[in-house]
Amino acid sequence: MEQRSLYDYTLTELTALLQSWGEPAFRARQLYRHLYVNLVQHPEQMTDLPLALRRRLAEIPLSTLHREHVQIGDNGMTRKALFRLPDGAVVETVLMVYPDRSTVCVSTQAGCGMGCVFCATGQLGLLRNLSSGEIVAQAIWASQELRAMGMAGQSGRVSNLVFMGMGEPFANYDRWWQAVERLHDPQGFNLGARSMTVSTVGLVKGIERLAEERLPINLAISLHAPDDALRSELMPVNRRYPIADLMAATRHYIAKTRRRVSFEYVLLQGKNDHPHQAIALARLLRRSAPRGPLLFHVNLIPWNPVPGTPLGRSEWERVTTFQQILTDYGIPCTVRVERGVEIAAACGQLAGRQFIPVNAVGNES
Ligand code: SF4
């Protein structure tokens, strides 16, 4: 049975727990503040709680993430933490700091069962789903790290959170959503819903479910190919949810939410980066878009090296040509600024192991 940490409890559950110990409800609110606002690392630091209560709280793990090491890249502005879980599984979290903001990339599963051929996590297979507390605690680590870095003007808080680390969030929907709600809670971590983005491989039922949620978090869909044959080759999930079904779910999502959807497209040399594929992608998006203003956006991602795959990274000229074609078709399109390539912290590189660079070169849009 999984070990429960303090970050696995909602405020209501913490209140019930402390009341069962004979404590008044306000103690739970104090505790919650220590966890999500003060970011304490041990109950001993909760000095406004009675000593006996602190000792009792110390019997429950604060977090079940055991940090094994942190790798640092981009002159200290990108940090990748490897955490070991009580059952021995490992997960990774990446913090990216910019002059005016910071983004944490959070994992939702240990490993991943989706098997995308270009992704290091996919090579691991699915080890297990993370608990809501294990997801939440990654954002807490990032905030603690920011504070330790003394990031002036950022108040030691992450400003953006993307669920783009290891795993497919919609394959662990219930726990993932509990984590979203806890991170958003204004009484606690207080991260705005629009500051959070979930990336899915295209699980249609998850997209439909997200359309019904009350919190307006952002949706990104991994597309990576303009046709079913190539998409099925790159992403086995396409055999279950082909492009037509995915686009129908996306239209439904936009009809319900009126929110913009991003499509992720990793560029692989000679595989999916030819100009005729850019035209096919533009046409696909044009004919799939709902009527009205275009609420689609494409994020082009130059592929990052993953050992053991026969794939290649698109030359920069091919990237810009691809982008220009989409732009000419009126599709808003950006090239993702890369971070953490030299420490294998970039998109698709998380594999729960220390990384030996393989001639990684970063590009910027
Ligand atoms: S790209 Fe995402 S969904 Fe695909 S194998 Fe990697 S972690 Fe899983």
Side-chain angles (χ1 to χ4, degrees), residues 135-157:
I135 299 170
V136 163
Q138 296 172 64
I140 300 293
W141 164 77
S143 285
Q144 289 167 338
E145 196 75 4
L146 273 177
R147 280 198 187 170
M149 291 166 74
M151 293 308 296
Q154 298 208 12
S155 60
R157 297 179 52 80

Side-chain angles (χ1 to χ4, degrees), residues 334-354:
T334 48
V335 179
R336 181 173 293 169
V337 176
E338 291 181 83
R339 278 296 193 96
V341 177
E342 86 258 38
I343 55 169
C347 287
Q349 289 186 311
L350 301 184
R353 59 177 178 245
Q354 276 185 291

Side-chain angles (χ1 to χ4, degrees), residues 15 63 106 126-127 150 212 234 251 254 299 321 360:
T15 305
S63 159
V106 167
L126 177 63
L127 304 174
E212 306 298 327
L234 297 175
R251 275 195 298 276
I254 290 177
N299 232 330
T321 302

Side-chain angles (χ1 to χ4, degrees), residues 283-303:
R283 287 181 176 158
L284 168 69
L285 295 179
R286 278 267 157 222
R287 69 173 177 270
S288 303
R291 288 217 181 101
L294 187 65
L295 291 172
F296 284 174
H297 176 268
V298 174
N299 232 330
L300 296 175
I301 308 166
W303 182 69

Side-chain angles (χ1 to χ4, degrees), residues 263-284:
F263 291 97
E264 313 277 304
Y265 196 101
V266 67
L267 284 162
L268 303 161
Q269 176 89 10
K271 201 77 182 159
N272 66 354
D273 66 346
H274 196 278
H276 76 75
Q277 289 163 315
I279 293 168
L281 176 63
R283 287 181 176 158
L284 168 69

Side-chain angles (χ1 to χ4, degrees), residues 109 111-123 164-169 199-202 222 224 234-237 347-350:
Q109 297 181 304
C112 182
M114 295 296 144
C116 305
V117 298
F118 47 81
C119 172
T121 311
Q123 294 176 359
M164 297 185 182
M166 299 169 90
E168 162 56 48
S199 174
T200 177
V201 76
S222 296
H224 305 319
L234 297 175
M235 306 171 73
V237 72
C347 287
Q349 289 186 311
L350 301 184

